[in-house]
Every structure is written in structure tokens, then in C-alpha cells.
Amino acid sequence: MSHLILDIGNSRAKAAIIDDNMIEELYSADCIQKLELDKLCSRHHIDAAIASVVGQQPDFKKILPTDIFNHFHQLSHKSALPISIDYDTPNTLGMDRIAAVVGARVACPSYPLLVVDAGTCITVDLLDQDNCYHGGAILPGMKMKLQALHEYTAALPLVELSEKELDGSCITPSLGNSTRNSIVAGVCNASIYEIQGFIEDYRRQYPSLKLFLTGGDALFFAKRLFFPNFATPSLIMFGLDNILNMNLVNSN
């Protein structure tokens, strides 16, 4: 079956067509546009659709073709899930976090899992070996840290990381020899140390822990963390596809 998968994040929106656990087409933009979505859907025979929304809530009835909207599911804490949730406020839980841990479980059927989604925010989430989600941590992403340094000081510039700085083509300095390099060294290394600290803490509790990285900055961290990991940019998409299959079965 061919599915339309929508991941509406804080700063980017992604749409994918997944058929038989394979991504057939992927589209990413600042926000989902009906015209582009219509073009994407017209190229495929879509049986059902699912969305995870963290950013602004779209009017899916308006932007989805009618035949697809009739087989549409928006992920919520009330959705049928292949995992249990041990979280005090499930109604406030970002559904992208749940989709990511489900995607990691699909890729790794056993072991406790730590899932780091490095985007606008960095989220760290724990799924134990019994498929119970325990929550984790939310911290500012690197871009947010850079913006904060500029906005909350009088003289520090707004620094943007280059593609080479993000994709591992150049070494992140530990000692800045200019104001820009000092900001890069502080923000990048602080983010690495934060995630590394969470990994080491959870490994003490779960020695067989496996690490999954996703999000826009996943490649940056994959090359710098001192722990074997799986970097999977489409982790949320595959998690959503798995959840959609489960909810389609339950609706029949």
C-alpha cells in the first residue's frame, strides 16, 4: 500500500510517499503548500495518509485531496501505538518524538533505544527493551543557541554554520581564535557534550543501549559522538508509516 506521510515540524514541513517500507518520493519546504501536495499526490496511487504536527496546525481538509482526506489519520496520544507511554502529560507530548522512537524500534526490533532528534530543538528520548517510552529531554538546537547569543547580548554577531561545518568536512574547533570561532566552538561543542552526557547517563542504566540520530543536524553529531550510532534522516517518516498501518487495521 502507498501512503502519504506528513511531518510538520517547528521550522520545516516534509511530505513523503512510502510504499512497502520504501520512500518513493520526498518533498520538504518551509510549509506544506496545497499546489505542491496535489502534484505529489497526482504522481502516486495513495491509499491512506498520516500526519504528525508540531508546528502550526494545517487545515488538512483543505489541503488534502478529498479521497485521501477520507483515509487520513492525525497522530495523537490517543492513536493506536506499538509502544506504551510512561509520561505524565501525554497530551503535551510532541508526536514527532513518538514517531521517531517507533521508527527506531522498526529498524532495531530489540534492545533499549536512545533516539536523538537534532533539529530546531534537540530531543533525547528513551524506549526500553519492553517497548515502554519513558520520555527524555528537550534542549535548544545549535541554531537556536546561536540566535540566543546574538539576541541576548549587545555585541555578539549572529553566526550561521556553513555546510562544511555541519556535514563533518571540517573539524569543530575546541579553541576559538576569533569571536566567530569562539561562538562556533562554544555552541557546537556544548551541544556535543550535552548529548554525550545523556548517552553516558542512560548507558549506566541500560548497558545494551543503541543510539539513533535523526533530524537536520544528525550527520554533524554522528561524526562527533563517542558511541556507535545509526544516523537515519527519515526515522520519523518510517515511524509514522508503521503507526498508520496499525491504525488502519484498528479502523477496519
Side-chain angles (χ1 to χ4, degrees), residues 154-167:
L156 291 179
L158 177 60
V159 172
E160 294 187 6
L161 298 175
S162 68
E163 288 188 15
K164 287 186 177 181
E165 286 171 321
L166 286 172
D167 68 12

Side-chain angles (χ1 to χ4, degrees), residues 2-249:
S2 185
H3 294 158
L4 171 65
I5 313 296
L6 300 171
D7 174 22
I8 315 297
N10 287 301
S11 57
R12 297 289 288 176
K14 299 176 185 176
I17 305 296
I18 295 184
D19 190 359
D20 194 24
N21 296 317
M22 296 287 293
I23 292 182
E24 300 292 332
E25 192 170 350
L26 183 65
Y27 146 65
S28 177
D30 290 338
C31 62
I32 293 292
Q33 300 287 343
K34 176 174 172 53
L35 180 59
E36 293 302 318
L37 200 56
D38 284 345
K39 290 179 182 177
L40 178 68
C41 293
S42 69
R43 294 192 287 269
H44 304 271
H45 176 74
I46 297 170
D47 301 287
I50 188 172
S52 164
V53 180
V54 175
Q56 185 175 356
Q57 174 71 38
D59 185 344
F60 288 111
K61 189 171 184 179
K62 289 184 177 179
I63 66 173
L64 288 174
T66 302
D67 58 331
I68 296 175
F69 182 75
N70 290 336
H71 299 89
F72 169 73
H73 180 82
Q74 181 165 340
L75 178 61
S76 77
H77 67 285
K78 296 181 180 179
S79 300
L81 298 170
I83 62 174
S84 60
I85 298 178
D86 180 18
Y87 201 78
D88 287 346
T89 56
N91 58 307
T92 67
L93 177 59
M95 289 297 102
D96 56 335
R97 298 171 68 185
I98 291 302
V101 296
V102 170
R105 177 55 80 212
V106 170
C108 184
S110 58
Y111 299 100
L113 304 177
L114 191 65
V115 178
V116 174
D117 187 347
T120 303
C121 292
I122 297 172
T123 56
V124 182
D125 291 292
L126 178 70
L127 183 70
D128 70 19
Q129 63 273 17
D130 298 316
N131 286 336
C132 181
Y133 171 80
H134 293 282
I138 304 173
L139 50 147
M142 293 193 294
K143 184 177 180 180
M144 191 181 294
K145 289 185 176 81
L146 292 168
Q147 288 176 330
L149 283 174
H150 173 62
E151 291 178 10
Y152 290 97
T153 62
L156 291 179
L158 177 60
V159 172
E160 294 187 6
L161 298 175
S162 68
E163 288 188 15
K164 287 186 177 181
E165 286 171 321
L166 286 172
D167 68 12
S169 300
C170 62
I171 298 172
T172 301
S174 58
L175 183 67
N177 59 0
S178 67
T179 299
R180 184 191 186 280
N181 286 349
S182 295
I183 292 172
V184 171
V187 166
C188 293
N189 287 304
S191 299
I192 294 167
Y193 301 153
E194 286 168 344
I195 296 173
Q196 194 69 47
F198 283 113
I199 293 169
E200 292 171 4
D201 185 27
Y202 290 130
R203 280 188 74 190
R204 284 191 286 269
Q205 302 173 61
Y206 301 91
S208 59
L209 189 72
K210 304 295 182 185
L211 172 66
F212 280 80
L213 298 170
T214 193
D217 295 335
L219 185 59
F220 172 88
F221 291 108
K223 295 187 177 182
R224 290 166 172 84
L225 293 173
F226 302 108
F227 187 66
N229 59 72
F230 304 91
T232 312
S234 300
L235 200 63
I236 291 174
M237 294 297 191
F238 287 115
L240 287 170
D241 187 52
N242 181 272
I243 293 168
L244 177 57
N245 283 326
M246 190 170 185
N247 282 272
L248 287 174
V249 169

